[in-house]
Amino acid sequence: MTSVQFKRSGECEVVFAYPGTGKTYAGGFDGVLDARIGRFKYKKPICAHSLLEAERLKASPCCESDICDEWPMNYYHYLSEVQRSSEYRFVLAPPIIPVMVTFEAECFNGGYQPYTLVYPRADLADEYLQRYKDRGNAQSFIEVFYGDFAYFITYYESMNPTKRVVLGSGQYVSDYIEGSLVGA
């Protein structure tokens, strides 16, 4: 663990949470921002009429060829700005490894970029596969986040977040936000 701690209980907490942990659902809570990546990652906005359609469009080949030149550092700068000046208690973000590594580097270099990392236990790959199917994720998305599930979990275990929350079966990031789970 890093030596950096959250300064006060009311401080804005950036929470990097694995796909399928319920960021979009929890983003509807008071004081919680779902910091969606679309406007930072893609040159053109994703025009969808529902969250299910947006999930499908994000994984389409046309989107992947239209990645913003500033990605992912533009997203890091956005999260940093929101964390410093936010009215939110929690900012939920997907665990983009270069962004998390930059947060971590800031902590080790005397800066102040604390973050919480939320991910499932390593034995829950099949549960997450079902979550992806239930919400309509594209096969290419499933191939990455289910196919490389063990890799991602192992990588996250090697990181040094300010707080780490490992979800059990049936648990979501909302359980942490509502206070029923405590980060280590």
Side-chain angles (χ1 to χ4, degrees), residues 29-69:
F29 293 4
D30 286 341
V32 179
L33 172 66
D34 179 11
R36 298 183 185 163
I37 65 171
R39 68 187 176 120
F40 302 97
K41 185 174 182 178
Y42 305 108
K43 292 177 184 174
K44 299 177 195 170
I46 295 175
C47 298
H49 299 292
S50 68
L51 291 175
L52 183 62
E53 183 182 1
E55 291 292 339
R56 289 183 182 140
L57 288 172
K58 286 189 296 189
S60 70
C62 65
C63 278
E64 289 305 315
S65 66
D66 205 19
I67 302 292
C68 211
D69 295 336

Side-chain angles (χ1 to χ4, degrees), residues 155-172:
Y155 188 88
Y156 299 152
E157 289 172 349
S158 74
M159 295 194 73
N160 294 298
T162 310
K163 289 183 192 174
R164 178 186 314 273
V165 179
V166 180
L167 300 176
S169 181
Q171 292 181 325
Y172 294 86

Side-chain angles (χ1 to χ4, degrees), residues 133-171:
K133 288 179 177 179
D134 289 348
R135 71 183 196 173
N137 284 116
Q139 187 60 35
S140 58
F141 178 96
I142 291 172
E143 288 170 6
V144 171
F145 291 101
Y146 175 72
D148 292 332
F149 190 86
Y151 165 80
F152 282 115
I153 302 310
T154 300
Y155 188 88
Y156 299 152
E157 289 172 349
S158 74
M159 295 194 73
N160 294 298
T162 310
K163 289 183 192 174
R164 178 186 314 273
V165 179
V166 180
L167 300 176
S169 181
Q171 292 181 325

